[in-house]
């Protein structure tokens, strides 16, 4: 009797697929989805190895990166025919992103509905935080600078009229 494998990731309970939730098998033969392994790796203090959350065994990462871990071919064979070709994914650990690198040539219409990047969290450290705040300040300044002149003129006129009206109301109320 052949047992059907678990078609859900044991960490996130999502259905395995051929994009970000590709079933990846560790050396201990436990299988998890690529997204969960990427999330664990981003938070890990040992970026070169993955510790299995079930049995704690270590699996060294391939030189070419996390997405090059072996696919679980048994799980894949139970997925729908449209998911038999696995997407080529790039893992950018510093940015905490999974990105679709190449769509398989046989990809069906599904391609349009698949997002091209996935956030898997930020690596530990404050650099990311600081960078983000700086970015927000810069973008606010850019918005003001890019504002068309007529729009800025109208806005300042509105402000001036408001101030004058307020003064008039205060004066008339005093009398
Ligand atoms: Zn998962
Ligand atoms: Zn394991």
């Amino acid at each position: 009797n052949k047992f059907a494998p678990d078609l859900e990731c044991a960490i996130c309970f999502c259905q395995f697929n051929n994009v970000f939730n590709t079933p990846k098998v560790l050396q201990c033969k436990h299988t998890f989805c690529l997204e969960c392994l990427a999330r664990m790796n981003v938070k890990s203090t040992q970026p070169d190895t993955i510790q299995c959350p079930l049995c704690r065994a270590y699996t060294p990462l391939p030189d070419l990166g996390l997405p090059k871990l072996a696919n679980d071919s048994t799980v894949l064979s139970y997925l729908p025919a449209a998911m038999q070709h696995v997407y080529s994914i790039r893992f950018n650990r510093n940015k905490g992103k999974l990105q679709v690198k190449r769509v398989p040539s046989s990809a069906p219409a599904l391609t349009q509905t698949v997002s091209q990047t996935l956030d898997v969290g930020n690596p530990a450290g404050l650099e990311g935080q600081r960078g983000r705040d700086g970015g927000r300040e810069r973008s606010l300044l850019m918005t003001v600078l890019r504002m068309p002149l007529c729009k800025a003129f109208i806005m300042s006129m509105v402000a001036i009229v408001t101030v004058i009206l307020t003064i008039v109301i205060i004066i008339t109320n005093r009398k």
Side-chain angles (χ1 to χ4, degrees):
N1 273 344
K2 203 176 161 192
F3 283 97
D6 207 343
L7 298 184
E8 289 177 358
C9 169
I11 302 175
C12 63
F13 301 110
C14 70
Q15 290 262 316
F16 287 120
N17 63 27
N18 62 335
V19 193
F20 298 123
N21 299 110
T22 301
K24 293 290 182 186
V25 59
L26 299 180
Q27 279 182 359
C28 56
K29 302 295 173 202
H30 286 128
T31 298
F32 306 97
C33 76
L34 174 64
E35 178 184 344
C36 284
L37 295 178
R39 286 182 188 281
M40 281 163 45
N41 185 252
V42 161
K43 295 287 174 228
S44 172
T45 49
Q46 294 163 286
D48 298 333
T49 173
I50 283 277
Q51 188 178 26
C52 174
L54 289 182
C55 69
R56 312 235 146 246
Y58 287 96
T59 299
L61 289 191
D63 291 338
L64 292 172
L66 187 69
K68 294 289 177 201
L69 278 170
N71 296 325
D72 189 326
S73 52
T74 316
V75 171
L76 273 180
S77 71
Y78 278 85
L79 296 183
M83 291 191 184
Q84 293 303 311
H85 292 271
V86 172
Y87 279 52
S88 192
I89 306 285
R90 182 188 290 125
F91 175 46
N92 187 332
R93 187 175 185 274
N94 293 333
K95 290 186 181 169
K97 279 194 196 309
L98 285 171
Q99 290 174 298
V100 171
K101 196 163 77 185
R102 198 167 55 244
V103 174
S105 50
S106 60
L110 170 106
T111 311
Q112 264 74 45
T113 64
V114 169
S115 83
Q116 299 288 297
T117 59
L118 180 76
D119 278 309
V120 290
N122 285 307
L126 292 169
E127 290 85 13
Q129 211 91 39
R130 241 181 276 132
R132 237 177 295 142
D133 287 341
R136 203 180 300 141
E137 273 170 37
R138 228 174 300 136
S139 68
L140 182 68
L141 187 65
M142 286 310 284
T143 314
V144 172
L145 286 177
R146 266 191 228 142
M147 196 183 281
L149 265 182
C150 60
K151 201 174 171 188
F153 180 70
I154 290 169
M155 281 183 73
S156 50
M157 283 307 286
V158 168
I160 291 168
V161 168
T162 311
V163 169
I164 292 172
L165 276 176
T166 313
I167 293 169
V168 169
I169 289 169
I170 291 171
I171 291 171
T172 47
N173 277 351
R174 271 187 191 163
K175 285 182 180 171

